[in-house]
Amino acid sequence: MVPKISVKNLNMTYDNYVIMRNLSFDIQQGEIFLIIGQSGCGKSTLLKYLLGLKRVSHQKIFYDGKDINSVINVPGFYGEKIGVLYQGGALWSSMTLAENVALPLETYTPLNRKEIEEIVTLKLSLVGLKGFENFYPSQISGGMQKRAGLARAIALDPEILFFDEPSAGLDSVSAKRLDDLILELKESLGITVVIVTHDLASIFAIGTRAIYLDVESKTITAMGVPHELLASSNDKNVIAFLSRGTKTVQG
Amino acid sequence: MTGIAELEVENESIAIISIVGAWSIYEKHSHAEEFIETILAKPSIQSVELKFVDLKSWDSVLINFLICILNSCEAKNLTVNVDNIPVGIRRLIELSKTSPVRSTSPAGQKKSTILEFIGRVGLLIFFSLRTFLGFTGKLWVGIISFIGGKVKIRGREFALVLQEVGAKALPIVFLISFLVGLIIAFVSVLQLSQFGANIYVADLVGISMMREMGCIMTGIIMSGRTGAAFAATIGTMIVNDEVDALQTAGFSTINFLVLPRVIALTLMMPLLCIFSSFIGIFGGLCAAISATDLTIVRYCAQTAKAVCLNDFFVGIIKSCFFGFLVAAIGCQKGLQCKRSAEDVGLTTTTAVVTSITAIIIMDAIFAVIFSLIGI
C-alpha cells in the first residue's frame, strides 16, 4: 500500500544551518502520526517542509507516491487535500469566525450562501463554538481561537490534517477535549492526522506512531508506537522525554 | 560579611580552599582566577580540597566560583574532593553539566574575512533584487489576471482598504498640504515683493502644488502612513502564522493580501493628489492675502491663468505611480518579515525609507522625461 506521506533522506536547514539529517519515514492512511522531540529540535520546521512552505529538492517528500513539488501547485492540494491547525489558531484577524470558516467554502465549492452558512454552523458546532459566528478572533480566548482554527482547517473535509502543537497554551481539560475531537475526526472521517507536539498526555492518549527528532544527533533516533518506544528504546533522550509522560499519565 | 575564599597548601601537594561567609551577586566576593593562578603556579599540588566553613548564604556567584575551580582543575588533571560541597550547590553544578552543548554554531555568527563579507553583501544584493523582481512579476500577473476577470477581490475587504487609504487619510493630507502651500507662498512673497511682483506668488504656488508638491507630499504622507501600515499588518500576519494559513488554505498571498492594497492605493492616490493640490493652493491664498495687498479674486484669476491642464495631468500621472510604488513596497517588505516583533518594526522602517527614496527617484525620472517631451 502506498503511504499517504513518505519522506526519504530529507536534510533540513534553517538559515544555512543544518538542523536535521537523513530523515526517512512513512505515514500511513488513517493513522495519527506524531512528530516529537525537545524544544528547538526542528519539529515545526519539519512540518513546514511537509506542508510545502519550505522548498525541498525533488524526490524527498511524496504524497500518495507523488513528489510534493508536482502536487503543491495542483488546485485543491491545499484546503481539499490538507488542512492545517497552527499553534495560535492563525485566524485571519480582519474576519469573523464564520467568515474565516466560510472563505475556503466560498472559494473552492459551488455551494450557495445558505448551504455555506449551514456548513459553517456545523463546523463551529463540532468544535463547540456554535453561537460565536459573528465574533472576531480578538474577542475570544486563545483556546477558542485554536478551536475556531480547527473548524476552518476541516472546512473542506481534508484527507490529511496537520496540527502544530495543538495543546500548547491550553489547560488540561481543553487539551483533553481537543484530543478527543482529533480522535473523533479521525474515526468518523477516516482522515490521516500528523501532529507536532511535546505534550506527553496527548502522545500516549492518541498517537498511533511517533518519530523522535534528536537534537544532539540531528536525526530520527526512535520510531514506533509511543508506549513501545518507552519500553524498548535504548536511547537515553527518548526515555527521558517519554518517561516523564508515563508519570504524568499515571499520575 | 561578604563571600570570602582562603587558600592554604598542605604538605606542598594539597591545596585547601576554605569558603566562608555570605556569597551574593550584590556583595564583594573572592574571584576564582586568583586561586586558579596560585594553584597552577605550584606544580607540586596534586589535589584540591574544598572546605565550607561557616557558609552563611550563597547564590549563583558561589556556583560560578566552584565551576571555574572544578573546570580548571579538571583541565590540569588535578583531583578535587567535592564531598564537602553542600547538596544544593552540588545538584546545581551537576545540572549545569548535563545541558547539551551544540556542536556547531549558526552560520550567521561565524567571523568572516573582508572577501567573505564582500561576497556576502554581493549575494544579499543579488537575492534582494531577485526577490523584488519575483514579487513584481507575480504582482503584475495578479493585476493582469484581475483585469482579465480570473482573479476576484473580496468586495468588503477592498472597500475597507479604500476607506483606510482614502477617506481616513484626508485630515493629515489637508493639514500637510495647507501648510506646504502656506510656506511656499510666504517664502515667495519675501522674494517677489522686492520686485513688486507679488501677483506671481499665485503662479509659483499653483504650478508647484499641481506639478510637484501635491503628489510628492501625498506620496510621502502615504509612505509613512499607509505603506508602513501595510508592512506592519502583513508582518504581524506572518508572525501570527496567518500568511502560512492563507497559503495552506490554497490562497495566493499576492492575490489576497497585495492586490487589493495596491489597487486601492493606486486608485486613491490621484484623488488625494488633487485634494492636496487644491488645499495647497488654498494655503497659498491664505498666506498671500494676509501678507500682501492681493485680493481673493485676483489670486484665483492669476492661478487659473498660470496653471494649465498639463500641470494637472502631470501630477495625476505621477501620483498613480507613487501610489503603486508605496503599496507594492509596503506589501513586499511586509511579506519579507521574519517571525519576531523586532522584525515587524524593522520591516516597517525599511518600507517607509525605501518607498520615500523610490518616490524621489521616480520623481527625478519623471522630471527628465517630461522635460524631454516638453510638458
Side-chain angles (χ1 to χ4, degrees):
Chain A
M1 193 174 140
V2 180
K4 202 73 192 155
I5 301 172
S6 188
V7 176
K8 291 192 166 78
N9 301 318
L10 174 70
N11 290 333
M12 301 199 311
T13 57
Y14 188 85
D15 285 346
N16 299 326
Y17 170 55
V18 177
I19 47 176
M20 282 284 150
R21 292 191 190 94
N22 286 326
L23 303 184
S24 294
F25 57 90
D26 292 334
I27 301 172
Q28 303 297 339
Q29 161 72 38
E31 70 177 339
I32 296 181
F33 190 86
L34 307 175
I35 299 167
I36 60 175
Q38 293 174 34
S39 304
C41 70
K43 300 186 293 289
S44 295
T45 309
L46 175 57
L47 187 69
K48 281 186 191 296
Y49 276 100
L50 294 177
L51 292 172
L53 294 174
K54 273 180 91 82
R55 286 189 170 224
V56 64
S57 51
H58 287 276
Q59 305 296 313
K60 295 288 179 192
I61 299 173
F62 301 86
Y63 275 82
D64 293 323
K66 291 175 190 160
D67 192 299
I68 188 170
N69 293 302
S70 66
V71 295
I72 50 171
N73 293 322
V74 173
F77 175 73
Y78 290 120
E80 290 171 43
K81 181 92 175 172
I82 65 168
V84 189
L85 174 62
Y86 291 91
Q87 215 173 100
L91 294 168
W92 301 309
S93 46
S94 60
M95 299 180 198
T96 62
L97 301 195
E99 286 170 338
N100 263 279
V101 182
L103 187 62
L105 294 163
E106 287 169 3
T107 312
Y108 296 113
T109 67
L111 297 172
N112 61 39
R113 181 157 293 278
K114 187 170 171 290
E115 279 177 305
I116 288 174
E117 278 173 17
E118 286 165 0
I119 292 176
V120 167
T121 309
L122 169 71
K123 300 291 176 183
L124 286 172
S125 309
L126 282 177
V127 297
L129 286 176
K130 194 177 178 185
F132 288 88
E133 286 84 352
N134 295 321
F135 281 63
Y136 281 91
S138 58
Q139 295 172 312
I140 57 174
S141 71
M144 290 160 91
Q145 285 182 20
K146 202 164 263 190
R147 281 188 278 151
L150 179 57
R152 186 183 65 190
I154 58 171
L156 295 169
D157 299 326
E159 293 172 31
I160 310 165
L161 254 182
F162 290 89
F163 292 82
D164 188 6
E165 303 279 7
S167 49
L170 295 184
D171 60 88
S172 53
V173 175
S174 304
K176 167 84 171 56
R177 194 182 295 164
L178 193 63
D179 284 348
D180 292 343
L181 187 61
I182 293 170
L183 273 176
E184 194 63 47
L185 288 170
K186 183 232 165 194
E187 295 298 329
S188 53
L189 300 172
I191 54 176
T192 307
V193 179
V194 181
I195 305 176
V196 164
T197 186
H198 51 225
D199 178 17
L200 297 150
S202 293
I203 290 170
F204 289 104
I206 62 171
T208 316
R209 270 190 325 132
I211 52 168
Y212 180 83
L213 302 185
D214 188 58
V215 73
E216 287 171 34
S217 56
K218 294 184 175 182
T219 193
I220 296 170
T221 52
M223 180 164 14
V225 180
H227 283 101
E228 289 175 10
L229 282 182
L230 179 61
S232 61
S233 178
N234 296 321
D235 190 294
K236 64 176 178 18
N237 288 339
V238 177
I239 295 166
F241 186 89
L242 291 174
S243 57
R244 195 168 62 88
T246 44
K247 281 174 196 165
T248 310
V249 171
Q250 285 162 2
Chain B
M1 190 184 184
T2 55
I4 297 167
E6 285 163 359
L7 175 71
E8 50 183 298
V9 180
E10 202 176 271
N11 301 330
E12 290 293 312
S13 63
I14 303 169
I16 300 169
I17 301 174
S18 304
I19 292 157
V20 292
W23 288 70
S24 164
I25 53 171
Y26 302 107
E27 303 286 344
K28 279 188 176 176
H29 54 265
S30 302
H31 293 275
E33 291 79 15
E34 49 201 81
F35 294 88
I36 293 164
E37 273 175 28
T38 315
I39 292 167
L40 297 182
K42 290 185 178 175
S44 60
I45 294 175
Q46 298 298 313
S47 65
V48 176
E49 195 165 316
L50 297 165
K51 272 188 179 172
F52 294 81
V53 188
D54 197 21
L55 180 63
K56 300 278 185 201
S57 60
W58 55 271
D59 61 16
S60 306
V61 84
L62 179 57
I63 295 167
N64 186 49
F65 176 89
L66 293 171
I67 288 173
C68 289
I69 299 277
L70 292 172
N71 288 346
S72 303
C73 292
E74 195 181 332
K76 293 287 172 189
N77 289 325
L78 298 177
T79 315
V80 184
N81 183 359
V82 294
D83 294 344
N84 295 330
I85 299 178
V87 180
I89 298 176
R90 205 186 308 164
R91 269 199 212 133
L92 288 171
I93 291 171
E94 281 164 11
L95 190 65
S96 73
K97 284 182 180 172
T98 57
S99 174
V101 180
R102 296 250 172 155
S103 53
T104 48
S105 59
Q109 291 173 8
K110 213 170 62 179
K111 279 189 179 177
S112 59
T113 62
I114 292 173
L115 274 177
E116 279 177 330
F117 174 76
I118 294 168
R120 208 167 283 144
V121 170
L123 281 174
L124 188 72
I125 293 169
F126 171 75
F127 285 122
S128 303
L129 205 63
R130 196 177 70 168
T131 311
F132 180 73
L133 288 176
F135 173 82
T136 313
K138 283 180 195 166
L139 179 56
W140 277 109
V141 169
I143 290 170
I144 292 164
S145 306
F146 173 70
I147 294 167
K150 288 179 186 170
V151 169
K152 283 179 185 168
I153 291 176
R154 284 167 55 81
R156 207 190 66 144
E157 298 277 310
F158 185 61
L160 284 172
V161 180
L162 273 181
Q163 185 195 19
E164 192 57 45
V165 304
K168 286 192 177 176
L170 286 176
I172 186 72
V173 172
F174 178 93
L175 179 69
I176 301 292
S177 305
F178 181 80
L179 292 176
V180 167
L182 203 82
I183 292 162
I184 295 173
F186 273 124
V187 173
S188 308
V189 165
L190 279 177
Q191 299 302 315
L192 294 173
S193 60
Q194 293 175 32
F195 308 102
N198 285 342
I199 188 66
Y200 292 111
V201 172
D203 296 50
L204 265 170
V205 172
I207 293 170
S208 60
M209 284 310 299
M210 280 291 178
R211 280 188 80 101
E212 294 292 337
M213 298 311 287
C215 56
I216 286 190
M217 291 319 295
T218 315
I220 290 172
I221 294 165
M222 288 294 111
S223 298
R225 186 186 178 276
T226 310
F230 287 172
T233 305
I234 296 174
T236 310
M237 286 179 79
I238 286 181
V239 174
N240 292 339
D241 288 330
E242 288 178 54
V243 173
D244 279 354
L246 271 176
Q247 280 178 267
T248 51
F251 298 107
S252 153
T253 46
I254 295 286
N255 296 346
F256 202 89
L257 296 175
V258 181
L259 211 52
R261 288 172 168 81
V262 170
I263 292 172
L265 196 55
T266 311
L267 289 177
M268 280 295 129
M269 270 291 277
L271 300 179
L272 289 171
C273 173
I274 295 167
F275 177 73
S276 164
S277 301
F278 281 105
I279 295 299
I281 290 170
F282 173 64
L285 168 76
C286 293
I289 58 170
S290 63
T292 67
D293 54 355
L294 286 174
T295 62
I296 296 174
V297 176
R298 274 195 76 194
Y299 187 93
C300 291
Q302 185 64 25
T303 303
K305 205 171 117 187
V307 178
C308 61
L309 214 54
N310 274 352
D311 299 324
F312 181 75
F313 283 119
V314 163
I316 300 276
I317 292 166
K318 285 202 286 192
S319 65
C320 287
F321 278 86
F322 293 169
F324 179 86
L325 272 179
V326 169
I329 290 169
C331 293
Q332 194 234 346
K333 295 293 172 194
L335 286 171
Q336 282 182 329
C337 182
K338 290 180 182 166
R339 293 178 176 273
S340 70
E342 192 186 354
D343 273 314
V344 176
L346 197 67
T347 297
T348 312
T349 312
T350 317
V352 174
V353 173
T354 313
S355 48
I356 290 176
T357 312
I359 284 173
I360 304 295
I361 293 171
M362 185 60 92
D363 194 56
I365 294 169
F366 271 121
V368 173
I369 293 171
F370 288 138
S371 83
L372 283 175
I373 58 176
I375 297 177

